[in-house]
Amino acid sequence: MPSRFSPPEIAAETPPQHHRHFHKNFHLLLPLLAAAVTITLILLTVLTIFIYRKLSRNRTAPSESSSHCHCRRFSYSLLRRATSSFSPSNRLGHGGFGSVYKGTLPSSAQHLAVKVMNSTDSLQGEREFHNELSLSRALDSPHIVPLIGFSSDSRRRRFVLVYELMENRSVQDALLDRKCEELMGWSRRFSVIEDVAKGLEYLHHFCDPPVIHGDIKPSNILLDGEFKAKIGDFGLARLKTEDLVEGLEEGEVSRKKDVEDNGSILEETESVLTGFEEGASLTVADSHRSPESCVLRVLDSEASPALSPETGLEKGSVLSEGLFDKVSVESGRDLVSNKKGGSRRDWWWKQDPGIGSESGRVKDYVMEWIGNEIKKERPKNEWLASPSSVDNINDCKVSSSCVEQKKEKIRKKERDRKPREWWKEEFCEELTKKKKKKKKRGLSSSNNGELWWQRDEEMVERKKKKNSKGSIDWWLEGFSGEFKIGRRNSQDWASGDIPKSGGISSTPSMRGTVCYIAPEYGGGGLLSEKCDVYSFGVLVLVIISGRRPLQVTASPMSEFERANLISWARQLAHNGRLLELVDPSIHSLDKDQALLCITIALLCLQRSPSKRPTMKEIVEMLSGETEPPHLPFEFSPSPPSNFLFKSRKKAR
Ligand SMILES: Nc1ncnc2c1ncn2[C@@H]1O[C@H](COP(=O)(O)OP(=O)(O)OP(=O)(O)O)[C@@H](O)[C@H]1O
């Protein structure tokens, strides 16, 4: 019977067993939970890192999307291997914002040109990288250098663009530096001009939306193995927006005025930038506008290679270049503050902090330097009488001893005067005289709704009638807009880091390059295709003459008048001697074609953008589909006579 009580015993023993199980499970549950939480945390961390990397990669290379499927992404290490660790022996050239290296892909033996953007010091390199990458999707023409791919790492600030290798490098390099024999035949030069014209025609008329290159110059025209020319370097290129064009074509002054009034020329320019630039963050330095570095090279056939202590100029040997200067043209802030201070054409003279003081201006610096380059000493037969000339003393109505004393004092002053200063002083005198004359004529700085080039045209006409030229004025005339140099970026002064280029280097950011930049754009104006047309005009003159747009030799004054290629071309046009522009090294010259090209160049160099032909018209003229043009009125010989071309119009 006692067994009847056993179940309750069992029942009494069972709960502790459950309890034990529960305890046992509970002991297991804790580590399990901990493990689950840890795994979840790890997964979350991995996911966050993945998303972060993905996002930052997208920010760095937004173009890697489907629209850029033709553009390959390279790893930096692959490009490093391809260029033998960016070895100097593989360096093809050096621009304002980076170097270009020749590379070979180990797998396919394909040759590449690898452009490593210098993006550590400023954002401009990164901006150009994004700009070029974003535009590449729109560009597909045999006259454009193909962009093969890129590599980017925003954390390490590495931005690399990979192009098809152009075996003969740039026109700057092949024609002006190496003087390739292949380019000494006329037909090759003509075909280079035609290729560039077609490339620009494609950009302006066949791209949708049209693209404005913004920096046409010999170092951006690349030559392939057969010397076929292709346009490269779209770092400063812009998509054309409709309102911008209408504004310019209709001469809509009010819009420009609005832009000036609210001080947002910078914004105006930014509005035609690509979306990628908008996204770029601005540093404090950048908010002052990134530097527009310009390197202006000038020949000095006699100077020994040395670095001028005052200017930092590297003087070259015969027919070599002297590095003139790397200067930032302006900051956006300067631009805004400048707008009130006179005509747009003067803006670059006023970049110096010492606004208003003659001594500190860049103009003086440039003039001083040019003076120095042209003549190391004041000429014996002074070609402009100095007001402090000794002879003037003779007019003094004072005692003879006093006269002698004063004479001696002035002689001493002139003896002590630095040789290079005479030129500057005389230039300033000229400038003051000119200003006085202008005042007399009642030409105020206010334009009353008139565009500056219209005023210019009037002045040209007046000058033509008078047929007189100041000794210096005419020389600088051709650079009314293009010869614009501003203050150096302080960082550049300090570092002395002067980027070299194949010649006249670029002015990154929103402008083009000294000598090639259209006058209306140089003063902070609107960028249009006509700016490219202007630059094309300069390029054509350079290709035909085989020389740089600004080439000062230390030779006699007779050479001096040729220094400025554009002025010289204008002079020759007035005198009806255009063929003198042609490079004497050219053989098998087709005179008609050469005249046609020079005339087209002069058409492109007209001050008024609306008078310049379109690239479509230029291609038609070059191909003979339309009648050859007449010389623009502002360049026409006096008495007017048109150059006679044999009609190249194709029989249809
Ligand atoms: N695809 C290429 N193939 C061969 N050489 C090239 C190629 N791209 C550029 N180069 C060479 O590298 C040089 C430098 O080019 P880059 O575009 O960096 O500078 P730039 O045009 O001379 O000056 P900046 O960039 O300041 O306007 C060119 O002048 C050219 O000789």
Side-chain angles (χ1 to χ4, degrees):
M1 289 303 283
S3 62
R4 290 175 81 187
F5 292 98
S6 55
E9 271 173 22
I10 292 164
E13 276 174 9
T14 312
Q17 240 181 14
H18 271 286
H19 205 71
R20 258 206 315 276
H21 269 291
F22 175 75
H23 265 282
K24 206 176 166 188
N25 285 345
F26 188 73
H27 280 299
L28 274 174
L29 201 68
L30 270 177
L32 271 176
L33 261 173
V37 168
T38 316
I39 290 169
T40 316
L41 278 176
I42 291 170
L43 280 175
L44 272 174
T45 315
V46 170
L47 200 71
T48 313
I49 292 171
F50 178 76
I51 291 170
Y52 172 79
R53 291 192 71 166
K54 184 101 182 141
L55 280 177
S56 64
R57 193 174 285 183
N58 281 348
R59 225 178 304 139
T60 312
S63 44
E64 208 185 3
S65 61
S66 57
S67 59
H68 267 276
C69 50
H70 69 280
C71 218
R72 176 178 165 189
R73 187 184 186 112
F74 290 92
S75 73
Y76 189 75
S77 55
L78 177 64
L79 295 178
R80 196 170 38 206
R81 255 184 296 141
T83 56
S84 314
S85 301
F86 303 106
S87 133
S89 61
N90 280 334
R91 195 154 92 168
L92 293 166
H94 186 69
F97 281 88
S99 297
V100 183
Y101 298 87
K102 183 180 173 176
T104 311
L105 279 182
S107 53
S108 60
Q110 185 189 2
H111 294 306
L112 313 167
V114 181
K115 185 171 181 174
V116 185
M117 312 301 288
N118 173 13
S119 52
T120 44
D121 304 336
S122 92
L123 278 180
Q124 188 62 34
E126 186 181 346
R127 260 202 221 134
E128 291 199 13
F129 167 84
H130 287 298
N131 201 41
E132 183 129 17
L133 206 52
S134 66
L135 283 170
S136 73
R137 88 189 92 175
L139 307 176
D140 185 16
S141 156
H143 305 294
I144 306 289
V145 179
L147 182 73
I148 298 175
F150 67 96
S151 168
S152 70
D153 182 342
S154 59
R155 217 157 22 94
R156 295 192 179 122
R157 306 207 50 72
R158 281 178 187 157
F159 301 100
V160 185
L161 290 166
V162 183
Y163 305 93
E164 206 171 282
L165 180 76
M166 297 288 115
E167 285 86 346
N168 285 301
R169 295 197 248 175
S170 63
V171 167
Q172 173 80 34
D173 185 65
L175 177 65
L176 304 179
D177 297 341
R178 281 187 289 134
K179 302 214 171 281
C180 282
E181 189 46 45
E182 290 85 345
L183 286 172
M184 295 306 143
W186 168 255
S187 58
R188 264 239 162 94
R189 291 217 199 172
F190 183 70
S191 69
V192 168
I193 292 171
E194 273 191 319
D195 289 343
V196 180
K198 284 177 189 163
L200 281 172
E201 183 195 28
Y202 166 78
L203 293 178
H204 295 177
H205 301 283
F206 302 120
C207 277
D208 186 22
V211 172
I212 301 163
H213 186 278
D215 198 15
I216 291 295
K217 60 176 177 177
S219 68
N220 287 338
I221 306 302
L222 285 306
L223 301 167
D224 69 8
E226 291 158 16
F227 285 87
K228 290 210 170 81
K230 294 174 196 254
I231 300 172
D233 195 352
F234 286 78
L236 296 182
R238 304 283 180 263
L239 292 177
K240 188 177 89 175
T241 55
E242 281 311 314
D243 55 334
L244 185 78
V245 183
E246 277 164 24
L248 195 77
E249 279 173 0
E250 290 162 19
E252 191 187 66
V253 179
S254 62
R255 185 166 176 275
K256 273 176 134 186
K257 198 169 174 295
D258 284 346
V259 172
E260 285 181 359
D261 285 347
N262 62 24
S264 58
I265 291 171
L266 191 65
E267 284 164 28
E268 169 67 15
T269 316
E270 291 289 348
S271 75
V272 290
L273 304 184
T274 60
F276 297 115
E277 289 181 57
E278 281 160 28
S281 58
L282 291 174
T283 62
V284 176
D286 200 64
S287 67
H288 292 173
R289 199 70 216 165
S290 48
E292 299 194 350
S293 54
C294 322
V295 179
L296 179 70
R297 281 150 184 261
V298 179
L299 287 179
D300 181 2
S301 58
E302 279 162 28
S304 59
L307 203 71
S308 158
E310 294 100 326
T311 57
L313 302 174
E314 191 189 321
K315 292 164 196 159
S317 52
V318 179
L319 290 178
S320 70
E321 298 167 325
L323 182 65
F324 167 54
D325 190 11
K326 174 192 180 279
V327 280
S328 79
V329 172
E330 68 191 320
S331 70
R333 195 181 47 177
D334 292 338
L335 227 164
V336 171
S337 62
N338 266 345
K339 66 189 167 56
K340 293 181 184 119
S343 77
R344 278 161 169 261
R345 304 178 57 203
D346 295 339
W347 65 272
W348 77 272
W349 298 120
K350 297 175 183 169
Q351 300 305 304
D352 206 82
I355 290 170
S357 70
E358 277 294 315
S359 59
R361 288 187 183 172
V362 178
K363 175 168 59 181
D364 293 349
Y365 174 75
V366 175
M367 292 310 149
E368 188 178 316
W369 172 77
I370 293 174
N372 191 41
E373 291 302 301
I374 292 158
K375 236 175 177 102
K376 304 289 168 192
E377 286 182 9
R378 189 186 180 95
K380 292 219 165 50
N381 53 339
E382 295 177 2
W383 46 284
L384 271 175
S386 159
S388 60
S389 152
V390 174
D391 299 337
N392 292 351
I393 297 301
N394 291 329
D395 299 335
C396 294
K397 291 177 180 167
V398 283
S399 70
S400 59
S401 63
C402 172
V403 169
E404 267 316 302
Q405 266 180 9
K406 284 200 172 177
K407 271 186 179 180
E408 189 45 45
K409 222 175 167 182
I410 287 165
R411 273 192 209 107
K412 189 172 177 307
K413 202 175 153 192
E414 297 232 329
R415 265 201 310 273
D416 295 346
R417 187 160 73 158
K418 282 182 202 153
R420 62 208 309 254
E421 286 193 344
W422 65 267
W423 200 89
K424 183 178 79 179
E425 285 166 19
E426 283 161 6
F427 176 76
C428 289
E429 275 167 37
E430 286 265 302
L431 211 71
T432 322
K433 275 186 209 164
K434 205 177 156 192
K435 269 185 195 161
K436 277 184 189 162
K437 266 188 204 165
K438 216 174 172 184
K439 256 191 186 171
K440 266 188 196 169
R441 282 202 307 265
L443 283 172
S444 70
S445 60
S446 64
N447 61 14
N448 302 324
E450 195 185 13
L451 294 170
W452 68 261
W453 58 75
Q454 289 166 343
R455 293 201 306 280
D456 261 16
E457 276 161 16
E458 273 178 28
M459 279 169 73
V460 168
E461 285 318 304
R462 229 175 273 144
K463 258 189 201 166
K464 259 190 183 178
K465 276 179 203 156
K466 280 170 105 184
N467 202 20
S468 68
K469 289 209 180 291
S471 52
I472 299 298
D473 289 354
W474 64 263
W475 193 82
L476 288 168
E477 210 172 73
F479 289 125
S480 56
E482 55 274 32
F483 185 52
K484 289 170 190 246
I485 303 166
R487 182 182 63 214
R488 277 187 197 204
N489 171 291
S490 55
Q491 194 187 336
D492 300 326
W493 280 110
S495 67
D497 179 22
I498 301 169
K500 285 197 176 194
S501 178
I504 294 173
S505 178
S506 80
T507 52
S509 188
M510 60 189 193
R511 292 174 208 289
T513 295
V514 170
C515 297
Y516 292 88
I517 190 168
E520 72 276 10
Y521 185 50
L526 301 173
L527 180 65
S528 74
E529 296 107 316
K530 295 301 175 80
C531 297
D532 279 351
V533 171
Y534 182 93
S535 311
F536 174 77
V538 184
L539 179 82
V540 170
L541 289 186
V542 167
I543 293 174
I544 288 174
S545 62
R547 49 154 284 186
R548 293 166 176 81
L550 184 62
Q551 185 168 295
V552 183
T553 59
S555 41
M557 290 300 280
S558 57
E559 283 295 308
F560 187 39
E561 69 184 25
R562 297 161 175 241
N564 173 345
L565 182 60
I566 301 161
S567 292
W568 185 40
R570 284 177 180 155
Q571 295 271 317
L572 291 177
H574 286 307
N575 300 330
R577 302 192 333 248
L578 277 182
L579 280 176
E580 284 182 30
L581 266 173
V582 178
D583 183 353
S585 321
I586 288 182
H587 55 78
S588 323
L589 178 71
D590 180 327
K591 286 186 182 168
D592 279 328
Q593 266 183 0
L595 269 179
L596 174 70
C597 290
I598 299 171
T599 308
I600 289 174
L602 291 172
L603 282 169
C604 297
L605 293 171
Q606 289 177 101
R607 286 177 169 84
S608 165
S610 59
K611 285 188 185 167
R612 293 174 206 150
T614 63
M615 286 315 302
K616 206 172 188 359
E617 287 165 346
I618 291 171
V619 170
E620 285 170 1
M621 288 178 216
L622 285 171
S623 62
E625 275 172 46
T626 54
E627 282 296 338
H630 291 304
L631 206 60
F633 183 65
E634 65 187 82
F635 301 120
S636 61
S638 35
S641 72
N642 290 322
F643 291 99
L644 294 173
F645 294 106
K646 277 183 217 150
S647 177
R648 301 181 66 240
K649 194 169 174 178
K650 280 179 186 162
R652 275 183 252 203

